[in-house]
């Protein structure tokens, strides 16, 4: 749902948790009211008195929900995104670990397909490509033959 009016939530405003009502249009917060004012008659959702926080971004993840980013196909990446959305993550980067050229390209292709599509999870915002461009003296645990 991209258009709605969220009522009965606590919002962090000026360092305090205050009762608030939030208008969302086209997926973007358009107004925050301290008193109920649904002037556009948006569909209302009761927030149940819960604390409303901004979404979190995960900038470095190798997987979740029993799915490994390097081995994931498009549906596997969507599974990760759905799991993240259920945990308050509103966007993420997949961290592709140092791997063979073929597997790295396969992982990049799957990520690109998900980035360019819409689905019901936290959006995959990009790729954190780990490893192939590391200097050998700073490789850490990365296998040197894959650099």
């Amino acid at each position: 749902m991209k258009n709605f009016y969220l009522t009965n939530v606590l919002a962090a405003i000026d360092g305090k948790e205050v009762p608030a009502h939030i208008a969302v249009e086209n997926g973007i917060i358009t107004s925050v009211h301290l008193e109920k004012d649904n002037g556009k008659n948006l569909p209302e959702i009761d927030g149940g008195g819960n604390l409303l926080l901004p979404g979190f971004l995960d900038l470095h993840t190798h997987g979740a929900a029993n799915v490994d980013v390097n081995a994931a196909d498009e549906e596997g990446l969507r599974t990760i995104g759905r799991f993240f959305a259920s945990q308050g993550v509103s966007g993420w980067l997949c961290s592709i670990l140092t791997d063979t050229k073929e597997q790295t390209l396969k992982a990049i292709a799957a990520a690109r397909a998900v980035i360019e599509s819409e689905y019901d999870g936290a959006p995959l915002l990009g790729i954190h490509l780990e490893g192939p461009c590391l200097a050998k003296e700073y490789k850490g645990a990365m296998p040197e033959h894959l650099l």
Side-chain angles (χ1 to χ4, degrees):
M1 180 181 295
K2 290 189 174 195
N3 297 304
F4 58 92
Y5 192 75
L6 184 59
T7 64
N8 189 23
V9 294
L10 295 174
I13 299 175
D14 294 329
K16 298 176 184 158
E17 295 175 11
V18 297
H21 309 275
I22 315 292
V24 176
E25 298 175 76
N26 295 316
I28 298 171
I29 295 174
T30 56
S31 62
V32 176
H33 303 277
L34 300 181
E35 300 292 329
K36 189 172 179 183
D37 181 14
N38 186 3
K40 294 187 178 179
N41 293 317
L42 297 168
E44 292 190 12
I45 298 174
D46 185 339
N50 288 306
L51 180 61
L52 180 68
L53 295 171
F56 299 100
L57 297 178
D58 189 330
L59 302 179
H60 186 135
T61 189
H62 293 287
N66 295 315
V67 179
D68 180 273
V69 165
N70 277 52
D73 59 9
E74 293 172 38
E75 189 53 35
L77 294 174
R78 289 185 186 102
T79 296
I80 294 171
R82 287 184 195 102
F83 170 75
F84 282 159
S86 76
Q87 304 300 306
V89 174
S90 59
W92 63 291
L93 300 180
C94 63
S95 296
I96 299 173
L97 190 63
T98 303
D99 209 324
T100 64
K101 181 177 179 180
E102 295 76 25
Q103 189 60 36
T104 300
L105 291 174
K106 183 177 175 183
I108 290 170
R112 180 178 181 175
V114 173
I115 290 166
E116 293 176 347
S117 69
E118 288 190 31
Y119 72 104
D120 59 343
L124 177 53
L125 302 172
I127 298 169
H128 170 227
L129 191 57
E130 200 174 83
C133 300
L134 290 174
K136 290 179 181 180
E137 57 269 19
Y138 300 108
K139 67 180 178 62
M142 302 298 168
E144 193 169 313
H145 71 281
L146 295 175
L147 302 180

